[in-house]
């Protein structure tokens, strides 16, 4: 157990809808990163939040957005869902300002868009 | 851009050693990682190596790093059926420490 929890574990949405995924970071960790893992592929970096602000972003469109709260938990929001958004969404927490970013992952949310 | 390549599949007999290989393009990465993913699960951090090291051993796991050839490997000694999973090589890239992953190597352990 990493101490990183994600909810929900599974979700089915219709194309065009909006979805919110949630992540509670490991105690003591102040940085949350989100990754998208399509079937048969490695995780792809979406963005990172540190001190409630977006701290870096991968190659994802603006309809992917996020939030980080004062307790360091985080949300990933995806608007106007497309079929290709179907994937496992992983949250990772880490402690910034350390040289070794040991990122600990949650179990993921499996999103299916139909 | 950054790229991480792994072979997709490895099959070994129980009790043998497994060696999973990874090559990468970004030579500025300070830390390189190995993650394990079991079916339907998230990623488990197995081990990591700092870029100024050549080797790191952690129980049954040995990580070798060849910076000149940009080659990273993970050796699992005495491989067990419980080691069957997908193994991802990852490295840090960018000022905000995003992880770049390979596509993963599926390890199958048979009796």
């Amino acid at each position: 157990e990493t101490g990183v929890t994600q909810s929900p574990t599974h979700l089915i949405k219709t194309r065009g809808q909006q979805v919110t995924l949630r992540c509670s970071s490991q105690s003591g960790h102040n940085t949350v990163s989100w990754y998208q893992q399509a079937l048969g592929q490695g995780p792809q970096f979406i963005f990172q939040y540190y001190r409630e602000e977006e701290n870096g972003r991968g190659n994802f469109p603006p309809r992917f957005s996020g939030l980080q709260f004062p307790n360091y938990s985080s949300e990933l929001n995806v608007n106007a869902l497309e079929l290709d958004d179907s994937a496992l969404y992983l949250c990772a927490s880490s402690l910034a300002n350390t040289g070794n970013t040991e990122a600990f992952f949650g179990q993921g949310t499996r999103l299916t868009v139909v | 851009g950054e790229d991480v390549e792994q072979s997709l599949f490895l099959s070994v007999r129980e009790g043998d050693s497994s060696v999973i290989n990874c090559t990468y393009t970004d030579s500025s990465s300070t830390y390189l990682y190995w993650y394990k993913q079991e079916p339907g699960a998230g990623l488990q951090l197995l081990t990591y190596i700092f870029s100024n090291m050549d080797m790191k051993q952690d129980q049954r796991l040995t990580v070798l790093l060849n910076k000149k050839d940009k080659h990273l490997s993970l050796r699992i000694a005495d491989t067990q059926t419980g080691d069957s999973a997908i193994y991802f090589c990852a490295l840090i890239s960018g000022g905000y420490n995003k992880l770049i992953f390979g596509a993963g190597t599926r390890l199958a352990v048979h009796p």
Side-chain angles (χ1 to χ4, degrees):
Chain A
E1 288 294 324
T2 63
V4 180
T5 58
Q6 293 186 242
S7 63
T9 54
H10 295 83
L11 201 53
I12 300 175
K13 288 287 191 178
T14 303
R15 190 171 46 184
Q17 285 188 313
Q18 178 265 344
V19 69
T20 297
L21 310 182
R22 295 178 175 84
C23 172
S24 293
S25 58
Q26 183 169 317
S27 177
H29 283 183
N30 56 14
T31 301
V32 173
S33 302
W34 287 92
Y35 291 81
Q36 180 195 66
Q37 186 180 17
L39 199 60
Q41 297 182 23
Q44 300 290 316
F45 176 77
I46 303 174
F47 45 54
Q48 181 183 92
Y49 277 83
Y50 171 64
R51 291 184 175 175
E52 302 177 50
E53 292 197 0
E54 187 179 289
N55 190 41
R57 190 177 185 93
N59 189 25
F60 281 81
R63 60 189 184 85
F64 285 77
S65 63
L67 285 173
Q68 187 180 31
F69 300 99
N71 66 354
Y72 305 128
S73 65
S74 177
E75 286 182 355
L76 164 65
N77 299 290
V78 187
N79 293 321
L81 283 166
E82 300 177 0
L83 297 179
D84 284 348
D85 295 333
S86 295
L88 180 68
Y89 288 84
L90 294 162
C91 161
S93 79
S94 58
L95 184 61
N97 299 323
T98 61
N100 178 7
T101 306
E102 288 186 68
F104 295 93
F105 284 79
Q107 293 296 95
T109 294
R110 173 77 59 190
L111 173 65
T112 303
V113 183
V114 297
Chain B
E2 316 95 345
D3 194 25
V4 179
E5 299 281 343
Q6 298 179 240
S7 52
L8 294 183
F9 188 74
L10 177 65
S11 178
V12 299
R13 192 182 303 275
E14 192 174 11
D16 286 351
S17 291
S18 308
V19 179
I20 301 171
N21 295 300
C22 170
T23 58
Y24 58 94
T25 56
D26 185 356
S27 59
S28 66
S29 297
T30 51
Y31 287 91
L32 300 98
Y33 302 85
W34 284 102
Y35 282 87
K36 175 183 179 183
Q37 186 175 41
E38 298 185 58
L43 300 176
Q44 175 192 355
L45 176 62
L46 286 178
T47 187
Y48 64 89
I49 188 166
F50 187 48
S51 58
N52 70 350
M53 298 169 65
D54 297 325
M55 184 182 84
K56 179 180 179 182
Q57 189 152 359
D58 185 359
Q59 300 183 338
R60 291 191 298 124
L61 305 178
T62 303
V63 179
L64 295 178
L65 175 61
N66 182 329
K67 283 196 71 175
K68 175 176 169 291
D69 295 337
K70 298 180 188 175
H71 182 268
L72 181 73
S73 68
L74 173 70
R75 178 177 179 270
I76 305 173
D78 187 24
T79 311
Q80 302 298 307
T81 54
D83 295 323
S84 294
I86 301 176
Y87 290 80
F88 291 95
C89 165
L91 49 85
I92 282 181
S93 180
Y96 42 86
N97 293 339
K98 71 176 182 181
L99 289 170
I100 305 296
F101 287 86
T105 299
R106 181 177 296 274
L107 174 65
V109 182
H110 57 88

